Amino acid sequence: MENTRHRKLLPKNFSKLYSRLLFSYTVVLLIPLVVLIYFYSSRFMKRFYTEIYNTVDSELIQFGTQMDNEWNSMQSITDHLTMTGVTSQAANAAGPLELKPVITALSNYRSANPFLTDIVLVMKDQPYVTTCFTTAEREYYFNQLVTPANTGTSKNVLTDLIDSTRPCCLPSQPLTNRSLNTTTENTLIFSFPVFSDYQKLVGTVMFFVSEHSVQNFKSPRLISYQSQLYIMDQTNSVIMSLGPSPEAIHENKGQYIVRSWHSPENNWSYLAYLPNRQDTFAQVSSITWEFIFSIIIALLLACLVIYTLSRLNYAPIRNLLKKSRQLLPSSSYGPDELDSISYALDYLADQNNELSSKLSGSLNAVRNERLFRLLSGRYDSRQDFNLDCSELDLYLPKGSYCAAIMLLHHTDPNIDRIAKDIQKHSSIPYIYYCIHSLHPEQIIFLVTLTDSQQSPNLCFEDLRMFLAKKYQIASTIGIGTATEQTDCIMQSYMEAASALDYRFVKGNGTVIQFQEITDFSQSSAVYPLEEFTVLKNALFTQNRPAIHTSIQNIILFMEQNPLPLYLARSICFDLVRLVKKQYNTEAFNTSVLELSNMETAQEITDMLKSWSQKLQELPSEKKRSSIAEILAYLDQYVLSPDFSVYEASEHFHMTLPAFSKYFKESTGKNVMDYTIQSRIQKARELLTHTNLPLKDISEQVGYYNVSSFTRRFKLNQGCTPGEYRKSAARSQNSSLS
């Protein structure tokens, strides 16, 4: 019945969910395509037009430069005619026959410059006009030989050119020059005045230039772009147009693109009109539209593929919906599939977070306990600590060690989070922290130093500034001296506590090293070296009465001499450390926090008296536990995540090295190898005979996280737990078949 109801609901929800997914995928696909179209069409067209504009501008400058050069050439010819006396000869000629040398000179200049059609020399007081080919009377020449198409106005214009005192140009117009031929063509007439030595106008040199000669300056690029050129003088009057009339272009100016260049030589302007609908632009627009249509077709095809694949990929969502509804009551179903699945995942996430929080708290507690044991001097060597912490990501590399205490002047409820941030921010590669319930306002740091980091005060100053900047919490840090022996880390911790007490002298908000205290102290008290020598000899001979007497002498020395607090702590630590090597009992596990919190030397002396009394009450010998008892203890606790080889050695009143040595001599196995083998064997049974997830299995065999369990299992078995489970399942199926 439930399955039938699901089948009725699925088509409606399928359509709603599918349409939403298809629309979102299409939008995501459309965004890059729109951007691509924009960059290709608009930016490409813009760059293409810019390239054409730059080309036209360059060609227009070249065209104007050539016209300027011809202008300068005509001015040079005029000057040369004056300098060589040709103009004087023409002005003084008595008749046409005397003008033959002038004709020859003008003809030579024309031959040297193909740009010029004809050169005419008109002298003001001379009735004759001299050209490159002939001479004629002035009136006859302008009325008969040279015939403008628009008669009635051109004669006056030509007369104005003759009387002009500055170079000028007559706009291009149809002109028939019978002295050359009988054809009519558009011609430009340039006039340059000729002055006497006294700057008196004596004549004019006129240059006839056909429009065809000017068109030869038009480059192939400008021709290919179908550009129309216009030359305008200083008054913006059109001198020559190589294309439609300006009136026609003005009427259709929206269809043209205008480029211009202004000549600094003669203040002429050169304009190029490019048709906006020419073939080149039309081809680019056509290519652009083809690209856009191709993109649209590709988009439609992509939408079709998305549609098909979405239908195929919807099956897992349907399966997830079925499983999620098995977890949730019917009242908790969502309005569609994704909401129902989301509700189920939220439910699982809440369960997982609750479990992870418990495991994380337990893991932090175990890590802190191991570090606290190291600070207390309960690990005799670095190897013992690394062995006991092989699954906790705690590792002491080679180097020296020192302890530090950070005192927070403002209480923060989440001090563990602060400690983790400080540890991440630190520039020291190996820095561990330990938070103890007896000091909620303190964070204890264990720092492993390399040779280049023997002075960590700068690093801790950086951490103090980081704490003040991020959390606005003031702090004071005390740092002990570095040591290379793990059983002396306790002394470094006590020195850090003494350095922290020095804040009442140096002030809060500072980083204090223990060396500052020893430099400041001027006490005359000396260390009881002689008493400690006697104690070492008694411990070596295992003479218990002598040991007790030596301890009493050291305590008496402390009572009779006024000792600084840090020195009293150091003597106490050395005494306990020496005796502990001889006896392994909880009576010697003096709390490092208890010792560091004592504020007077007298308190430390009283504690030593009590400790000495307990030492006297110890039995002379303890019977060593049998290996069967040790194996039974290990089998009982080895699968617990809190299991520690150190705790096992303490349980049997042995040091960790002695415990490991005794276990190996009795069983032929290393105690850690035995522990790992027991856990892996249990994991193999759970993987083979249960369907528990790897997370649950890792917890049941003594590992806090799946990654540590997987790494250890692969090192031991050569495959991951998942691969082992699949292999075991295949073996069982083959045996059944």
Side-chain angles (χ1 to χ4, degrees):
M1 189 69 181
E2 182 69 18
N3 293 335
T4 303
R5 184 169 66 88
H6 285 175
R7 284 195 296 270
K8 290 181 179 180
L9 290 175
L10 283 176
K12 180 179 179 181
N13 290 336
F14 175 87
S15 177
K16 178 180 178 181
L17 176 62
Y18 183 78
S19 300
R20 188 166 66 246
L21 292 176
L22 181 61
F23 176 76
S24 61
Y25 293 155
T26 305
V27 170
V28 172
L29 181 63
L30 187 61
I31 291 175
L33 293 181
V34 169
V35 174
L36 184 61
I37 291 175
Y38 168 76
F39 275 96
Y40 181 84
S41 59
S42 64
R43 293 180 65 87
F44 172 76
M45 288 295 292
K46 182 178 179 181
R47 291 186 178 182
F48 179 78
Y49 274 89
T50 302
E51 183 67 24
I52 291 180
Y53 295 159
N54 293 337
T55 302
V56 172
D57 291 343
S58 177
E59 298 295 339
L60 195 61
I61 292 173
Q62 183 178 356
F63 177 83
T65 302
Q66 288 178 309
M67 289 297 296
D68 289 346
N69 292 338
E70 293 299 335
W71 176 278
N72 294 332
S73 177
M74 289 183 284
Q75 180 67 59
S76 298
I77 292 174
T78 302
D79 295 340
H80 201 265
L81 289 173
T82 302
M83 293 175 61
T84 57
V86 174
T87 56
S88 298
Q89 187 176 0
N92 298 325
L97 296 177
E98 296 181 7
L99 294 175
K100 287 185 178 182
V102 177
I103 295 174
T104 303
L106 296 179
S107 179
N108 291 335
Y109 285 118
R110 178 191 174 277
S111 299
N113 192 347
F115 180 74
L116 304 175
T117 304
D118 195 6
I119 303 175
V120 179
L121 178 60
V122 182
M123 303 308 296
K124 193 171 185 63
D125 297 330
Q126 187 65 259
Y128 300 103
V129 173
T130 307
T131 70
C132 294
F133 306 97
T134 184
T135 61
E137 291 185 358
R138 182 186 302 181
E139 294 295 330
Y140 177 79
Y141 179 80
F142 288 114
N143 291 334
Q144 300 297 327
L145 296 181
V146 177
T147 307
N150 52 345
T151 58
T153 59
S154 296
K155 182 178 179 180
N156 295 332
V157 173
L158 291 174
T159 304
D160 292 340
L161 286 177
I162 295 172
D163 295 335
S164 177
T165 59
R166 60 182 181 85
C168 56
C169 178
L170 185 67
S172 175
Q173 58 182 308
L175 189 68
T176 302
N177 192 343
R178 290 186 177 85
S179 64
L180 298 177
N181 50 52
T182 59
T183 60
T184 300
E185 61 179 341
N186 291 337
T187 305
L188 281 170
I189 301 177
F190 296 87
S191 70
F192 291 86
V194 178
F195 296 96
S196 66
D197 295 339
Y198 301 100
Q199 295 299 311
K200 179 182 177 182
L201 181 65
V202 296
T204 301
V205 180
M206 302 175 65
F207 297 90
F208 288 73
V209 178
S210 67
E211 190 174 288
H212 178 73
S213 298
V214 178
Q215 287 181 344
N216 290 335
F217 289 162
K218 192 175 180 181
S219 66
R221 289 284 185 90
L222 294 177
I223 296 174
S224 65
Y225 292 151
Q226 304 174 18
S227 61
Q228 312 297 332
L229 295 181
Y230 296 89
I231 304 175
M232 305 180 71
D233 61 9
Q234 301 90 331
T235 62
N236 291 330
S237 299
V238 177
I239 296 176
M240 189 183 71
S241 60
L242 303 180
S245 64
E247 293 77 10
I249 289 183
H250 182 72
E251 292 177 0
N252 303 286
K253 60 181 180 180
Q255 301 179 5
Y256 291 90
I257 300 171
V258 182
R259 309 300 296 177
S260 63
W261 181 71
H262 184 77
S263 172
E265 292 285 341
N266 51 16
N267 290 326
W268 282 9
S269 297
Y270 300 89
L271 282 73
Y273 283 77
L274 282 74
N276 202 14
R277 299 293 182 183
Q278 61 176 283
D279 295 340
T280 304
F281 294 146
Q283 291 176 4
V284 175
S285 299
S286 176
I287 294 174
T288 302
W289 281 110
E290 290 178 1
F291 173 76
I292 294 175
F293 286 138
S294 300
I295 292 294
I296 294 175
I297 294 174
L299 177 63
L300 295 176
L301 293 176
C303 291
L304 180 61
V305 173
I306 291 175
Y307 175 82
T308 305
L309 294 178
S310 297
R311 293 183 64 89
L312 296 175
N313 294 334
Y314 186 76
I317 297 179
R318 186 163 49 244
N319 295 332
L320 287 175
L321 176 64
K322 181 178 179 181
K323 292 183 180 297
S324 65
R325 288 181 172 176
Q326 292 176 353
L327 294 173
L328 299 174
S330 58
S331 59
S332 300
Y333 290 173
D336 60 15
E337 297 95 312
L338 292 182
D339 289 330
S340 297
I341 295 172
S342 178
Y343 294 161
L345 292 176
D346 290 340
Y347 172 77
L348 293 176
D350 292 339
Q351 299 295 322
N352 182 64
N353 290 336
E354 183 178 353
L355 181 60
S356 298
S357 178
K358 293 179 181 178
L359 290 176
S360 178
S362 300
L363 178 60
N364 287 335
V366 173
R367 287 167 56 93
N368 283 333
E369 184 61 28
R370 302 284 169 85
L371 288 171
F372 183 70
R373 290 175 188 169
L374 184 63
L375 289 171
S376 302
R378 300 186 187 182
Y379 289 102
D380 292 333
S381 67
R382 178 171 55 86
Q383 289 76 12
D384 292 342
F385 176 77
N386 292 339
L387 177 66
D388 204 27
C389 298
S390 59
E391 306 299 338
L392 294 178
D393 296 327
L394 295 175
Y395 173 72
L396 295 180
K398 293 182 179 180
S400 58
Y401 325 101
C402 74
I405 304 174
M406 175 179 285
L407 174 64
L408 305 180
H409 297 297
H410 303 284
T411 304
D412 190 285
N414 199 349
I415 193 172
D416 187 72
R417 174 173 57 89
I418 295 177
K420 289 181 179 179
D421 285 348
I422 292 174
Q423 188 176 14
K424 292 178 181 178
H425 180 76
S426 173
S427 59
I428 303 176
Y430 295 96
I431 177 171
Y432 307 117
Y433 68 91
C434 177
I435 301 174
H436 204 272
S437 59
L438 296 179
H439 291 283
E441 75 283 358
Q442 289 186 4
I443 303 175
I444 304 170
F445 292 97
L446 172 65
V447 182
T448 63
L449 304 170
T450 60
D451 294 337
S452 60
Q453 294 173 329
Q454 294 301 320
S455 179
N457 57 326
L458 295 178
C459 299
F460 276 105
E461 177 64 26
D462 177 66
L463 294 181
R464 191 187 66 79
M465 298 298 295
F466 165 77
L467 190 65
K469 182 178 181 180
K470 183 173 183 178
Y471 295 99
Q472 289 77 44
I473 296 179
S475 61
T476 304
I477 303 175
I479 306 175
T481 56
T483 178
E484 295 183 355
Q485 298 178 354
T486 55
D487 57 350
C488 291
I489 295 178
M490 177 181 177
Q491 185 174 10
S492 180
Y493 172 80
M494 289 190 302
E495 292 173 351
S498 299
L500 199 61
D501 293 337
Y502 191 60
R503 70 184 185 277
F504 298 108
V505 177
K506 188 175 181 180
N508 290 327
T510 56
V511 176
I512 308 171
Q513 286 188 296
F514 179 72
Q515 186 64 33
E516 298 181 42
I517 302 177
T518 57
D519 293 341
F520 176 78
S521 176
Q522 301 296 329
S523 174
S524 60
V526 294
Y527 191 85
L529 296 175
E530 184 177 345
E531 287 79 359
F532 268 98
T533 302
V534 175
L535 175 61
K536 291 177 182 178
N537 293 332
L539 289 171
F540 181 76
T541 58
Q542 299 185 4
N543 188 343
R544 296 196 64 175
I547 293 173
H548 178 68
T549 301
S550 300
I551 293 174
Q552 295 301 321
N553 290 337
I554 294 175
I555 296 175
L556 181 62
F557 175 87
M558 296 178 65
E559 289 179 330
Q560 293 177 350
N561 293 276
L563 300 176
L565 181 60
Y566 76 87
L567 188 56
R569 286 173 176 168
S570 180
I571 293 174
C572 179
F573 170 75
D574 290 341
L575 179 59
V576 174
R577 179 165 166 264
L578 277 176
V579 177
K580 185 180 178 181
K581 290 183 178 180
Q582 181 69 27
Y583 301 92
N584 183 42
T585 176
E586 294 181 359
F588 298 102
N589 290 334
T590 305
S591 173
V592 67
L593 287 176
E594 180 183 354
L595 183 58
S596 63
N597 288 336
M598 293 181 179
E599 299 180 353
T600 63
Q602 185 59 44
E603 290 183 58
I604 297 176
T605 303
D606 294 340
M607 185 199 70
L608 285 178
K609 289 181 180 180
S610 174
W611 172 77
S612 176
Q613 184 65 32
K614 292 179 181 179
L615 180 62
Q616 281 186 302
E617 296 173 358
L618 288 177
S620 58
E621 289 186 5
K622 278 199 176 238
K623 183 180 178 181
R624 176 172 285 186
S625 301
S626 65
I627 191 63
E629 294 174 331
I630 294 176
L631 292 174
Y633 177 87
L634 294 179
D635 293 340
Q636 182 180 358
Y637 296 105
V638 73
L639 299 181
S640 172
D642 298 335
F643 172 77
S644 168
V645 179
Y646 176 84
E647 290 180 346
S649 65
E650 276 195 334
H651 179 77
F652 293 103
H653 307 289
M654 302 171 65
T655 63
L656 184 55
F659 178 76
S660 300
K661 181 179 179 181
Y662 176 65
F663 187 89
K664 189 168 186 179
E665 289 176 349
S666 302
T667 62
K669 299 179 181 179
N670 183 281
V671 63
M672 184 55 67
D673 292 341
Y674 180 84
T675 301
I676 294 173
Q677 192 61 37
S678 299
R679 291 179 172 182
I680 297 300
Q681 180 61 33
K682 182 64 176 179
R684 291 171 57 186
E685 296 176 2
L686 295 175
L687 290 170
T688 304
H689 302 295
T690 69
N691 293 324
L692 292 174
L694 294 182
K695 185 175 182 181
D696 294 342
I697 294 177
S698 66
E699 294 169 6
Q700 291 190 24
V701 297
Y703 293 92
Y704 276 105
N705 53 71
V706 178
S707 60
S708 296
F709 167 63
T710 303
R711 182 175 67 253
R712 180 60 67 183
F713 191 92
K714 188 173 183 179
L715 288 174
N716 189 273
Q717 296 294 314
C719 61
T720 64
E723 294 171 347
Y724 180 85
R725 170 174 275 175
K726 292 179 181 178
S727 176
R730 287 195 297 267
S731 300
Q732 289 180 350
N733 293 334
S734 61
S735 62
L736 291 175
S737 61

